[in-house]
Amino acid sequence: KAGVTQTPRYLIKTRGQQVTLSCSPISGHRSVSWYQQTPGQGLQFLFEYFSETQRNKGNFPGRFSGRQFSNSRSEMNVSTLELGDSALYLCASSSSLAGGSQETQYFGPGTRLLVL
Amino acid sequence: GIQVEQSPPDLILQEGANSTLRCNFSDSVNNLQWFHQNPWGQLINLFYIPSGTKQNGRLSATTVATERYSLLYISSSQTTDSGVYFCAAVASGTYKYIFGTGTRLKVLA
């Protein structure tokens, strides 16, 4: 079974631009979560989607948004990029068979975003 | 929200030594996982362990949910064990993983 895939793997943008990152979960998984990892703040939860609905959101400004499609693929968007948005963005999927959170999360390789 | 704390923050071992990494969490959890992050940033699943004990080769983990802590044991460490180890927990009634700050392990040959 293929793992979680993320595209693109690397990205360079300038301040003020916007960016869209994509995540394809493991086949059959319905829950997708997004995380931001920076040296200063560590790994922080952005949001989680299940069956196209956002169930939880972390403490990030409204510039960070996401969505999930009917095939469980997910995208996250960051508008009006700031230097501090430079980070490794990770997505994870889980089967969430019963709609719960009691299952293993599997992570993709991440997208490294550099904002200049 | 739930707080997740890991200790020690840094650990240097000689190859062949054993180590114990600790993860404390402040609330009851539905889900707890241990991960190893490799130098390229990939988070590799080690254990899904909201309670009880599991073993996988030289690694084992124990979570005592009633006392709100989890331990990761690494025996006979190898240089390839180097990297950052994270625990992450999902508080009951939520769907968000909260990560600890990690333990950076360096194993010397």
Side-chain angles (χ1 to χ4, degrees):
Chain A
K1 209 181 233 188
V4 179
T5 58
Q6 292 186 244
T7 56
R9 293 293 310 280
Y10 303 92
L11 207 47
I12 300 175
K13 292 285 189 178
T14 55
R15 276 182 301 175
Q17 287 187 308
Q18 74 160 12
V19 66
T20 299
L21 312 182
S22 180
C23 173
S24 292
I26 291 171
S27 177
H29 283 193
R30 294 191 295 165
S31 169
V32 173
S33 299
W34 288 90
Y35 301 83
Q36 181 197 64
Q37 186 175 26
T38 59
Q41 299 298 317
L43 269 155
Q44 293 187 284
F45 172 83
L46 279 157
F47 23 67
E48 187 262 358
Y49 287 88
F50 175 79
S51 292
E52 302 178 66
T53 299
Q54 186 183 90
R55 294 194 295 189
N56 255 139
K57 190 176 184 337
N59 297 326
F60 280 81
R63 301 185 297 108
F64 291 81
S65 63
R67 58 179 177 167
Q68 186 180 33
F69 301 96
S70 57
N71 62 358
S72 293
R73 191 178 69 85
S74 177
E75 289 181 347
M76 68 162 281
N77 183 276
V78 188
S79 62
T80 320
L81 284 165
E82 299 177 0
L83 295 179
D85 297 333
S86 295
L88 176 66
Y89 290 88
L90 293 160
C91 103
S93 75
S94 67
S95 58
S96 196
L97 284 170
S101 58
Q102 296 95 326
E103 282 135 4
T104 303
Q105 280 208 337
Y106 297 90
F107 280 79
T111 295
R112 287 194 184 275
L113 171 66
L114 177 62
V115 182
L116 301 175
Chain B
I2 189 172
Q3 307 291 319
V4 180
E5 296 178 350
Q6 290 185 243
S7 60
D10 295 281
L11 192 54
I12 301 175
L13 298 174
Q14 207 63 38
E15 201 168 28
N18 303 329
S19 61
T20 301
L21 282 57
R22 187 176 179 104
C23 172
N24 292 332
F25 43 95
S26 62
D27 207 345
S28 60
V29 297
N30 275 341
N31 188 327
L32 188 134
Q33 282 188 251
W34 283 95
F35 298 91
H36 177 212
Q37 189 167 40
N38 67 21
W40 297 272
Q42 176 80 53
L43 279 167
I44 299 159
N45 289 306
L46 296 177
F47 295 102
Y48 166 79
I49 189 163
S51 63
T53 298
K54 291 187 178 179
Q55 178 152 11
N56 184 4
R58 296 181 297 102
L59 302 182
S60 63
T62 295
T63 297
V64 183
T66 52
E67 296 187 25
R68 298 185 182 166
Y69 72 88
S70 183
L71 302 173
L72 177 69
Y73 305 97
I74 305 174
S75 64
S76 305
S77 57
Q78 302 175 356
T79 55
T80 51
D81 295 332
S82 297
V84 185
Y85 290 81
F86 290 100
C87 74
V90 180
S92 300
T94 76
Y95 301 97
K96 53 181 178 179
Y97 266 71
I98 303 300
F99 277 79
T101 50
T103 292
R104 187 174 298 275
L105 174 65
K106 189 174 179 72
V107 181
L108 305 174

